[in-house]
Amino acid sequence: SQKIEQNSEALNIQEGKTATLTCNYTNYSPAYLQWYRQDPGRGPVFLLLIRENEKEKRKERLKVTFDTTLKQSLFHITASQPADSATYLCALAGSSASKIIFGSGTRLSIRP
Amino acid sequence: EAGVAQSPRYKIIEKRQSVAFWCNPISGHATLYWYQQILGQGPKLLIQFQNNGVVDDSQLPKDRFSAERLKGVDSTLKIQPAKLEDSAVYLCASSPGVAGGEGETQYFGPGTRLLVL
């Protein structure tokens, strides 16, 4: 069955360092992968989308890589800040935004 | 631009009762999604509409859950009868539904927190 895993439930890092979150999947050939941020008591907020034929995408301090051979995406936040503390979710989708599945999320804490 | 609206925000019911949730997507968005998010887990897609047609309802427990999207705009999700394991946050999301670019970006509402006692 299709499976998506995020590397750890929680990640704690020092302010200013780069946070790296991992998303691995099996039994799926996604057309694209997305990363979302979710704060407690709120719905997820879209951050970045990367397609199957793209290797890397950047947006300000965020960078996403996508390796369809390894079936893995890495999500990086550079120069991390306490305000980046949240749960980060990865999501896969097939063509026409079908068969969407979310990972369980990684709770990131940035300490001052 | 107004975001995705959901109501109610909170609901407490007893098992075997019925409950309904309402969602108003962003104006002009063709695709609407309902998700169930259990505490500590990621959202699980229940049903996906494209305009007022169903694209995917493979994970919707059809013996107790139903959803409709009248006129391709607002949507309601109903649970009848509710079970204890239905306690979760029910999230509605919408997207422009246009392939390419950021057309697949989902915009989520605040969710409805359901507690079944």
Side-chain angles (χ1 to χ4, degrees):
Chain A
S1 62
Q2 298 166 341
K3 196 173 180 182
I4 181 169
E5 287 185 343
Q6 296 192 237
N7 60 325
S8 57
E9 284 190 17
L11 184 63
N12 297 292
I13 67 167
Q14 184 77 39
E15 181 179 7
K17 302 291 186 183
T18 296
T20 299
L21 285 64
T22 305
C23 178
N24 295 291
Y25 60 93
T26 56
N27 298 321
Y28 201 115
S29 295
Y32 61 88
L33 183 148
Q34 297 176 318
W35 283 89
Y36 287 82
R37 168 183 173 142
Q38 187 171 27
D39 291 286
R42 294 178 177 266
V45 174
F46 170 77
L47 296 175
L48 281 169
L49 179 153
I50 186 164
R51 300 190 183 280
E52 59 177 335
N53 59 349
E54 296 176 316
K55 297 293 185 186
E56 183 179 298
K57 211 75 170 287
R58 291 176 184 260
K59 180 182 177 181
E60 298 174 351
R61 294 184 296 112
L62 309 179
K63 184 178 86 171
V64 173
T65 63
F66 195 13
D67 188 325
T68 54
T69 301
L70 292 178
K71 296 186 182 296
Q72 181 182 79
S73 174
L74 299 179
F75 176 78
H76 307 273
I77 305 176
T78 58
S80 60
Q81 305 166 1
D84 296 326
S85 298
T87 295
Y88 291 85
L89 300 160
C90 66
L92 298 173
S95 58
S96 303
S98 62
K99 304 297 182 190
I100 294 170
I101 55 171
F102 275 81
S104 57
T106 296
R107 191 171 63 252
L108 177 66
S109 296
I110 310 297
R111 59 182 185 276
Chain B
E1 178 183 77
V4 175
Q6 290 188 248
S7 67
R9 292 296 311 277
Y10 305 92
K11 191 75 177 178
I12 300 174
I13 62 172
E14 295 189 348
K15 60 183 179 185
R16 290 186 290 273
Q17 286 187 322
S18 62
V19 64
F21 312 128
W22 174 81
C23 173
N24 180 232
I26 292 174
S27 177
H29 279 194
T31 308
L32 185 146
Y33 311 80
W34 282 103
Y35 290 90
Q36 179 193 61
Q37 187 173 26
I38 293 171
L39 188 64
Q41 299 182 17
K44 172 187 165 186
L45 180 66
L46 294 175
I47 189 166
Q48 178 182 350
F49 292 96
Q50 180 79 12
N51 297 309
N52 53 348
V54 176
V55 173
D56 183 358
D57 63 356
S58 57
Q59 297 192 95
L60 186 74
K62 298 180 184 66
D63 58 333
R64 298 185 301 107
F65 285 64
S66 64
E68 60 180 5
R69 189 181 185 196
L70 297 176
K71 299 180 182 178
V73 182
D74 292 5
S75 178
T76 56
L77 176 70
K78 296 180 182 177
I79 308 176
Q80 183 179 11
K83 293 185 175 181
L84 297 176
E85 58 261 35
D86 297 332
S87 295
V89 175
Y90 290 85
L91 293 164
C92 178
S94 69
S95 72
V98 177
E102 302 297 340
E104 297 96 341
T105 299
Q106 295 182 66
Y107 297 83
F108 283 82
T112 295
R113 201 167 299 269
L114 174 68
L115 179 60
V116 183
L117 302 175

